[in-house]
Amino acid sequence: MQRQVSRENKQDNEDETGQVFKWYRDFFKRGFDILLSLIALIIFAIPMIIIAIWIKIDSPHEKVLFKQARVGRDNKLFTILKFRSMNDEAPHQMATENFEHPEMYTTHVGKIIRKTSLDELPQLFNVLKGEMSIVGPRPLIPKEKQVLKLRDDYGANKVLPGITGLAQVHGRDEVMDENKAAYDGKYALNVSLLLDISIILKTVSDVVRGRGVHDGKK
């Protein structure tokens, strides 16, 4: 059933001849991102400092921040920021969901901040820089060529990647790649303030409940 829905969404995207100007997506969304990320940075400033100190105490010889090349809008590369949750021996250019034994690399602090998604907080700086949005398709690593191709087919790479997105609130790590791309394409075609707010609220609910997060191959 999910694959049938994906194909229907793909056909809808293929029928789209181009993105016309939309006030929210092309003008107001950037202001919304800046405002929301600034508010979030103020709220989480102290927790972020505590997390940084905690990471440094837990592994003093490794860096606090994890930096990785990701694919952004129009397939342009940028450097994503995250709190480091794994040791330096972890495979660098590989999606965590593909790790055979992620527990071998995850630090003591990392287990907690990954479960609560607190490791994603530094991406608020990516949002301020205009490399990401609060809501959009999750940015992939360059090696995930199959999913990137699917996203191109669905038009999902035409918008900024996000800290959270439509695919994340529909199962996150539990969703197949083609369906993730379909959800991302659907979002790209239907960007709106109401949709962004609903995704943000659903994300908060999912994080509190710890839903949809799986490390390593299922």
Side-chain angles (χ1 to χ4, degrees):
M1 178 63 74
Q2 273 193 322
R3 292 185 67 87
Q4 182 178 355
V5 171
S6 296
R7 292 192 184 99
E8 290 174 357
N9 287 338
K10 183 174 181 179
Q11 184 63 49
D12 290 342
N13 285 18
E14 289 174 344
D15 290 341
E16 191 75 9
T17 57
Q19 288 189 322
V20 297
F21 180 84
K22 293 183 179 180
W23 277 103
Y24 174 71
R25 185 194 65 202
D26 300 325
F27 187 75
F28 290 110
K29 184 172 171 64
R30 178 61 184 149
F32 180 70
D33 283 337
I34 293 173
L35 178 62
L36 219 60
S37 57
L38 285 173
I39 292 173
L41 283 170
I42 292 172
I43 293 173
F44 290 106
I46 294 178
M48 288 176 72
I49 292 172
I50 293 172
I51 292 170
I53 294 173
W54 192 12
I55 291 172
K56 201 62 181 176
I57 292 174
D58 184 51
S59 45
H61 300 297
E62 297 183 6
K63 296 179 180 179
V64 169
L65 290 179
F66 171 73
K67 299 179 181 181
Q68 187 181 53
R70 295 287 181 101
V71 180
R73 182 169 58 188
D74 296 326
N75 293 313
K76 295 178 180 178
L77 295 181
F78 73 99
T79 301
I80 198 171
L81 302 175
K82 300 178 72 173
F83 279 125
R84 185 177 53 76
S85 59
M86 294 191 172
N87 59 43
D88 286 344
E89 296 178 359
H92 191 72
Q93 286 298 326
M94 181 186 293
T96 312
E97 64 187 46
N98 294 326
F99 284 15
E100 291 288 351
H101 300 286
E103 68 279 357
M104 294 173 56
Y105 309 107
T106 308
T107 64
H108 297 299
V109 178
K111 292 177 182 177
I112 298 173
I113 62 176
R114 290 181 68 83
K115 185 69 175 178
T116 56
S117 295
L118 292 172
D119 61 321
E120 312 282 0
L121 286 176
Q123 288 164 46
L124 292 167
F125 291 106
N126 288 118
V127 175
L128 284 178
K129 290 173 66 178
E131 298 168 330
M132 292 180 64
S133 177
I134 297 294
V135 181
R138 281 297 297 165
L140 303 174
I141 62 174
K143 285 188 176 181
E144 295 181 272
K145 297 185 183 299
Q146 181 179 354
V147 189
L148 287 168
K149 175 61 169 62
L150 287 169
R151 281 190 174 181
D152 278 335
D153 292 342
Y154 286 113
N157 291 329
K158 293 296 183 182
V159 296
L160 282 173
I163 296 178
T164 186
L166 191 61
Q168 278 59 51
V169 298
H170 281 86
R172 198 170 175 175
D173 296 333
E174 298 173 347
V175 181
M176 294 172 57
D177 287 343
E178 184 170 349
N179 289 301
K180 280 184 181 180
Y183 280 125
D184 292 333
K186 183 178 180 180
Y187 173 79
L189 287 176
N190 298 281
V191 177
S192 71
L193 177 60
L194 183 61
L195 181 58
D196 278 3
I197 291 175
S198 68
I199 290 173
I200 291 170
L201 293 177
K202 183 67 165 57
T203 299
V204 173
S205 174
D206 288 348
V207 168
V208 170
R209 298 180 184 184
R211 297 173 61 181
V213 182
H214 297 285
D215 280 339
K217 292 184 177 179
K218 298 182 283 295

